[in-house]
Amino acid sequence: MTAMTDTSGMLASDTDIVRAHLARVTLSAPLSDLEIAECKARIKTLLRERNAILVAHYYTDALLQSLAAETGGLVSDSLEMARFGRDSSASTLVVAGVRFMGETACILSPDKTVLMPTLEATCSLDVACPADRFAEFCDAHPDHTVVVYANTSAAVKARADWVVTSSIAVDVVEHLAAQGKKIIWAPDRHLGAYIKGRTGADMLLWEGACIVHEEFKAKGLIDMRALYPHAAILAHPESPASVLEIADVIGSTTQIIKAAMQMPNSHFIVATDKGIFYKLQQMAPQKTFLIAPTAGHDATCRSCAHCPWMAMNSLERLLHSLETGSNRVSVSSELASRAMAPLQRMLDFSAALKLKVNGKA
Ligand code: 13P
Ligand code: SF4
């Protein structure tokens, strides 16, 4: 390959790379307040015109969460996102979150158009569980009931007997264990170990992990608790066992928010993605929330406690998708109908559990 020198002495090919990089930086530069207002106004108009509703996860940007709330959409955990999208009368669901959330919406609402700000937002758990390898594993243990986390591809869900989210995983496995079932669990090993510990179920665990939660460190957490002795520790069950052992509350994102609202503590140390702080501060404005430490005593490198794929969701990308109809999620009808059964099982189980808790069954 030949490279020409330009007047600055820089190789032309290098200059192209720098230009391309700058173009990308310019594209992702933060929007001014005026641009944000214009973008939001345009999105609101398009949502109305397209009979669309915005469903956002707690880990997405605060701008997207506020937009979902302002437009009658939903900000919630993965279970409620799935339920709300299915029950909504909108013909288009715009899902701000990661790929598996868009796919789940597609499976549960085959007649709706599902758009996402980006289709590139994946999840380390989904990546860690390729459908072909998982199917081989299940085939090798045919006497096991297959329970998979919602953070998986449609193809993995299609191979499962049950799909669960973190808010209902313990209840479902408890129910299966009571029937003497042996269980294959995938893909999150920390959540799997936590469920196994809580239920005593006979479980084979897949070896995936969440790159965000795996970084929370027990040693740092103990030091932090010494500084804030009255703070309660709230942790998502994707965190390592050493962190969960010292947590006061372990739960899904919604369960974490509920605990923060209900507990009397004024301070909380939170071991989950920091995107949740927007909702936590909204729901309990008089309380103080601190992010759990992501570095141990000897570590020098801290993670940011923010999912890089959730962070790919932006106002501009959302606007682009609504304007052009791009980033439409699709799951083949054959795959969707196979993945629907284990998802429906979870939704039915969750509805029955709610009735039981409310004393109506
Ligand atoms: P929730 O189901 O608690 O919202 O969690 C989803 C997730 O991706 C956590 O990392
Ligand atoms: Fe997946 Fe972790 Fe991101 Fe949740 S926070 S979407 S589990 S990578």
Side-chain angles (χ1 to χ4, degrees):
M1 196 182 89
T2 53
M4 287 166 22
T5 309
D6 71 8
T7 47
S8 67
M10 207 180 221
L11 292 177
S13 54
D14 290 347
T15 317
D16 291 344
I17 292 167
V18 172
R19 274 204 198 103
H21 175 69
L22 285 176
R24 274 202 299 280
V25 170
T26 310
L27 273 179
S28 60
L31 298 178
S32 66
D33 288 349
L34 181 64
E35 285 167 330
I36 289 172
E38 284 172 356
C39 214
K40 283 180 88 167
R42 182 86 187 110
I43 291 171
K44 284 180 182 175
T45 305
L46 287 168
L47 286 171
R48 269 195 309 275
E49 285 176 3
R50 307 242 191 290
N51 184 24
I53 197 99
L54 176 59
V55 186
H57 191 266
Y58 293 124
Y59 296 166
T60 56
D61 192 283
L63 286 169
L64 294 173
Q65 294 190 43
S66 65
L67 192 56
E70 286 163 25
T71 52
L74 179 84
V75 183
S76 196
D77 64 5
S78 49
L79 177 61
E80 283 309 315
M81 285 172 77
R83 216 180 341 231
F84 182 88
R86 181 200 59 180
D87 297 344
S88 161
S89 60
S91 54
T92 294
L93 305 175
V94 186
V95 178
V98 293
R99 174 86 192 201
F100 79 82
M101 295 171 177
E103 282 189 352
T104 301
C106 221
I107 295 162
L108 292 175
S109 307
D111 299 331
K112 292 174 186 158
T113 299
V114 179
L115 301 177
M116 295 190 77
T118 170
L119 293 181
E120 286 171 34
T122 185
C123 163
S124 59
L125 293 169
D126 187 348
V127 173
C129 192
D132 51 350
R133 273 184 43 221
F134 185 61
E136 277 170 29
F137 183 66
C138 296
D139 291 345
H141 305 281
D143 56 337
H144 282 62
T145 300
V146 180
V147 183
V148 301
Y149 196 24
N151 300 37
T152 46
S153 66
V156 166
K157 288 185 176 77
R159 183 64 184 78
D161 299 304
W162 288 79
V163 172
V164 297
T165 65
S166 56
S167 58
I168 203 166
V170 169
D171 296 299
V172 167
V173 172
E174 211 159 51
H175 164 77
L176 296 172
Q179 297 168 11
K181 302 250 199 281
K182 290 192 278 185
I183 290 160
I184 283 181
W185 165 262
D188 189 278
R189 63 194 170 100
H190 297 304
L191 178 54
Y194 168 68
I195 300 167
K196 192 173 173 171
R198 281 280 308 270
T199 63
D202 181 341
M203 293 171 77
L204 288 174
L205 308 184
W206 192 262
E207 277 293 306
C210 162
I211 56 164
V212 178
H213 291 86
E214 194 160 59
E215 292 304 316
F216 292 117
K217 300 287 189 290
K219 275 185 170 180
L221 205 45
I222 290 164
D223 288 350
M224 197 162 179
R225 173 120 79 179
L227 287 176
Y228 300 94
H230 303 300
I233 299 175
L234 312 176
H236 196 281
E238 289 168 15
S239 308
S242 54
V243 167
L244 299 183
E245 268 161 30
I246 47 178
D248 298 296
V249 173
I250 300 167
S252 72
T253 45
T254 296
Q255 290 160 347
I256 284 175
I257 293 167
K258 278 194 185 143
M261 289 163 68
Q262 287 164 3
M263 289 171 77
N265 307 58
S266 62
H267 287 66
F268 293 89
I269 304 172
V270 184
T272 195
D273 185 287
K274 68 181 178 193
I276 203 172
F277 278 54
Y278 173 68
K279 189 51 98 183
L280 281 171
Q281 269 146 7
Q282 226 177 29
M283 301 310 283
Q286 72 288 13
K287 299 188 177 181
T288 302
F289 297 100
L290 308 155
I291 190 74
T294 52
H297 280 296
D298 305 320
T300 51
C301 177
R302 282 168 192 269
S303 84
C304 60
H306 190 34
C307 176
W309 295 296
M310 289 284 184
M312 291 173 82
N313 290 273
S314 65
L315 273 185
E316 304 106 294
R317 284 180 158 151
L318 171 53
L319 176 57
H320 182 71
S321 169
L322 266 172
E323 264 173 343
T324 59
S326 57
N327 300 333
R328 183 173 176 168
V329 186
S330 73
V331 177
S332 77
S333 53
E334 183 272 328
L335 194 57
S337 68
R338 283 195 290 128
M340 177 73 163
L343 269 168
Q344 191 59 50
R345 222 163 261 144
M346 166 180 74
L347 293 174
D348 292 346
F349 182 89
S350 151
L353 197 66
K354 257 192 187 166
L355 283 178
K356 208 166 137 187
V357 170
N358 296 335
K360 292 184 190 146

